[in-house]
Amino acid sequence: MANLQGDIKNWKKGELCGTVATVFCGIVVAFFAAAFTSASVLNLETLRLVTLILSPVLLVIGIALSAFCNIKFGGANERAIKKYILDVCVENAALMHPERKSLSFYISIEGTDIIISVNDYKGKIIFDFSEFKKLSFARKAFILGEIESRLVVTFCRLYERGAGYTDVGFAEREGTRRKTVKKIFIIKDGAPDKKAFKTYLKNK
């Protein structure tokens, strides 16, 4: 059974560390602006010198730590999510009904679950992200983007292999990112959508 693999807990701590480092950089910039202005107004040469020496050093340390954490831990999370999405799609290939000529995928979010329903079928594809405890807006956007890219790659590949679809598309239910359900086509009138096909070529 597909599951999120990896040290999610430690990766989340690493991402938090990166976020703290980014906030620290903001504080350093604010400190520099306030201290340098005060030193200039009050003619405090020592404070001005300390600010000029200390602020750049702290800023470089903060930027380096933030970049390291985002690359190491954020990247690890993203790779785990991509693999999990692929595994779930492969495991639930039959529920995607690739044999049908016209397909509409509806994507919704319930807590930490991302759910796909297909046409009017009862069977649903469920992506369980409870390992993350809570999905931030940025995490939701990344996951939704990856799921949609996977649908694009899957059906453009099937089209290239000779599957004769009339139309295939997806829509996000209200409460995901878009306020209204608007179908985005992967295949329309028997041919791949230009934007979808570009996505396919980048990710195949």
Side-chain angles (χ1 to χ4, degrees), residues 10-22:
N10 282 335
W11 291 343
K12 285 179 67 179
K13 288 179 181 177
E15 285 185 321
L16 178 60
C17 182
T19 301
V20 170
T22 301

Side-chain angles (χ1 to χ4, degrees), residues 41-57:
V41 171
L42 300 174
N43 199 27
L44 300 173
E45 193 59 36
T46 301
L47 177 59
R48 192 199 326 250
L49 187 61
V50 169
T51 302
L52 286 171
I53 294 172
L54 190 60
S55 295
V57 173

Side-chain angles (χ1 to χ4, degrees), residues 30-45:
F31 164 76
F32 173 79
F36 190 79
T37 301
S38 298
S40 299
V41 171
L42 300 174
N43 199 27
L44 300 173
E45 193 59 36

